[in-house]
């Protein structure tokens, strides 16, 4: 086991420690942005309009809004809370600016991979649309073996993420209520099982209601805190910009850490380029592939520019003496306690539960088309659901560094395989965008 852990850490040290993934995803996002003439800025009005329209062209499949909710469910998770706090702890306020920048470039990548998912999707034995990264690797590149490798890496990532999520939830409830980890693990596992073993499309229906609700509740309290501290908001934004390009950071040798921490956390949170979200996008019933691409690009903005920024601002308007020396979830809970009293700690515990629960459901939905790619067998789907429940229960009771490392490894390898597929296939997405702007806009 020690030798296996060493191998995992060694590979992570190369792909994450040397910033290979960061450079790869940022470079890809910039390339797509330039080729599509800043589509993610030019067509922002279209993105919002298409989401509000909530299009669905047939009874099979899911609506554009439902596909948005599934992908947003996995994007909006613990990373929007703990991940942002980690970025602020390591990179300071300036890291927030670089999270904003990466979300803009990431939106272009999200558009390309989601559009490709619709172009190269197919129907399963039930007649529903299925697709995603593995499918466009097989149908677009004629490389089924690459699709199988992607699915293998995805399973490694998602099994690790399920445990990390569960552990974050049980830890926050222990801090807030002193609740035993085993009890919280059972509650989370049972609730997840009720939904994922439910009737067809139950996961989608739950997420369609849960995602808007949890985002609204969280942003409502954040808005209250920011209005309460309105006098210092200008100074906070000034600090973010100053530290993003700060002479102080450059002289101290920490400028690189400011940039890279913001970029890393932005990529971790919005998932653009990793090949996850196309699994949900492919199921959407829309009359043009570019429409779902635009909606998925908007999902990156919602995740990073809205939710992550909300978390960062709450921390940055908190007295430094209150959160001095604290890290992770404890820092965030203390920040909310400072602004709204003791119930702020409880609020964050419940919000993290909702964020985590939605991510779990989103992952099980992502897994479905990827397992169909291997073999369209009901037994395979049931097996993964049982495995997912076990990972949730086990992860809630035990924090293992190897699990976190495996999640990072799987995510990194997914991104590498996916990027090398979407770059040569991007011409199809570019053509789809041109067609959309010419005919439908």
């Amino acid at each position: 086991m020690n030798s296996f852990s060493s191998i995992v850490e060694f590979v992570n040290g190369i792909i994450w420690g040397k910033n290979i993934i960061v450079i790869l995803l940022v470079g890809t996002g910039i390339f797509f942005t330039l080729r599509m003439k800043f589509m993610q800025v030019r067509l922002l009005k279209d993105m919002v309009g298409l989401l509000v329209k909530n299009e669905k062209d047939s009874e099979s499949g899911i609506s554009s809004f439902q596909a948005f909710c599934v992908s947003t469910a996995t994007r909006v998770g613990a990373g929007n809370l703990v991940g942002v706090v980690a970025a602020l702890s390591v990179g300071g306020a300036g890291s927030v600016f670089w999270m904003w920048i990466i979300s803009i470039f990431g939106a272009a990548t999200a558009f390309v991979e989601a559009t490709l998912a619709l172009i190269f999707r197919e129907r399963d034995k039930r007649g529903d649309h299925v697709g995603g990264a593995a499918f466009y690797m097989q149908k677009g590149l004629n490389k089924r073996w690459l699709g199988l490798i992607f699915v293998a890496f995805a399973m490694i990532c998602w099994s690790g993420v399920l445990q990390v999520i569960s552990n974050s939830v049980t830890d926050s409830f222990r801090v807030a209520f002193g609740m035993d980890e085993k009890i919280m693990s059972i509650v989370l596992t049972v609730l997840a099982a009720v939904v994922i073993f439910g009737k067809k499309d139950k996961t989608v229906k739950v997420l369609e209601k849960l995602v808007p609700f949890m985002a609204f509740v969280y942003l409502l309290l954040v808005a209250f805190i920011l209005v309460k501290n309105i006098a210092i908001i200008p100074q906070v934004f000034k600090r973010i910009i100053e530290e993003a390009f700060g002479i102080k950071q450059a002289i101290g040798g920490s400028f690189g850490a400011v940039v890279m921490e913001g970029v890393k956390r932005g990529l971790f949170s919005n998932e653009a380029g990793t090949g996850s979200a196309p699994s949900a996008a492919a199921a959407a019933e829309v009359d043009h592939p570019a429409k779902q691409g635009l909606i998925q690009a908007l999902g990156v903005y919602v995740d990073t520019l809205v939710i992550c920024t909300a978390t960062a601002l709450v921390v940055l308007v908190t007295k430094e003496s209150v959160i001095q020396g604290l890290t992770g979830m404890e820092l965030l809970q203390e920040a909310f306690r400072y602004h709204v009293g003791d119930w702020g700690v409880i609020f964050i515990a419940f919000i993290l539960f909702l964020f985590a629960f939605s991510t779990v459901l989103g992952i099980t939905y992502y897994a479905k088309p990827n397992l169909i790619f291997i073999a369209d067998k009901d037994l395979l789907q049931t097996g993964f659901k049982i495995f997912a429940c076990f990972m949730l229960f086990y992860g809630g009771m035990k924090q293992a560094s190897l699990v976190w490392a495996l999640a990072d490894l799987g995510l990194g390898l997914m991104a590498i395989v996916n990027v090398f597929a979407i770059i040569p296939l991007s011409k199809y997405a570019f053509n789809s965008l041109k067609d959309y702007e010419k005919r439908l806009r």
Side-chain angles (χ1 to χ4, degrees), residues 401-417:
S401 57
L402 177 60
V403 171
W404 289 72
L406 278 172
D408 287 345
L409 177 67
L411 184 67
L413 294 175
M414 283 171 70
I416 291 172
V417 174

Side-chain angles (χ1 to χ4, degrees), residues 104-122:
I104 295 171
F105 292 125
T109 306
F111 170 85
V112 170
E113 59 183 359
T115 303
L116 289 174
L118 270 83
I119 292 172
F120 293 106
R121 66 185 178 180
E122 56 189 55

Side-chain angles (χ1 to χ4, degrees), residues 416-435:
I416 291 172
V417 174
N418 185 56
V419 165
F420 280 105
I422 62 176
I423 289 176
L425 291 173
S426 59
K427 58 187 178 184
Y428 296 103
F430 300 156
N431 289 336
S432 182
L433 179 63
K434 286 178 186 175
D435 184 68

Side-chain angles (χ1 to χ4, degrees), residues 44-227:
L44 182 59
K45 185 179 178 182
D46 289 55
M47 294 179 196
V48 177
L50 288 167
L51 184 65
V52 173
K53 193 176 179 183
N54 192 17
E55 186 173 17
K56 184 174 180 180
D57 291 332
S58 70
E59 289 305 309
S60 63
I62 60 179
S63 71
S64 55
F65 180 72
Q66 287 173 327
F68 171 84
C69 287
V70 173
S71 58
T72 303
T74 58
R75 286 188 175 118
V76 178
N80 296 76
L81 303 178
V82 184
V84 173
V85 171
L88 291 170
S89 299
V90 177
S95 60
V96 177
F97 175 84
W98 296 107
M99 286 174 65
W100 295 341
I101 297 300
I102 198 57
S103 73
I104 295 171
F105 292 125
T109 306
F111 170 85
V112 170
E113 59 183 359
T115 303
L116 289 174
L118 270 83
I119 292 172
F120 293 106
R121 66 185 178 180
E122 56 189 55
R123 292 191 183 272
D124 62 15
K125 65 183 182 183
R126 290 159 291 277
D128 296 329
H129 276 128
V130 291
F135 289 86
Y136 54 68
M137 288 171 195
Q138 175 177 274
K139 298 180 74 176
L141 297 175
N142 197 28
K143 293 179 179 177
R144 177 173 170 79
W145 60 269
L146 192 63
L148 291 170
I149 289 173
F150 175 84
V151 173
F153 291 156
M155 293 303 158
I156 291 172
C157 174
W158 294 334
S159 65
V161 170
L162 286 169
Q163 294 185 69
V164 170
I165 288 169
S166 182
N167 190 262
S168 298
V169 170
T170 57
D171 192 47
S172 68
F173 272 75
R174 179 186 55 78
V175 172
F177 306 105
M179 186 179 288
D180 183 78
E181 284 94 337
K182 185 180 288 186
I183 294 172
M184 199 59 225
S185 295
I186 292 171
V187 171
L188 182 61
T189 305
V190 169
L191 286 174
V194 168
V195 177
I196 65 177
F197 282 100
K199 291 184 289 186
K200 179 187 173 186
D201 290 340
K202 192 172 183 180
T203 297
V204 173
K205 285 182 170 59
V206 170
L207 289 176
E208 185 180 24
K209 293 176 176 60
L210 179 60
V211 169
F213 170 76
M214 70 185 192
F216 175 75
V217 170
Y218 182 62
L219 292 175
L220 190 64
L221 183 58
V222 169
F224 169 76
I225 292 171
L226 297 183
V227 169

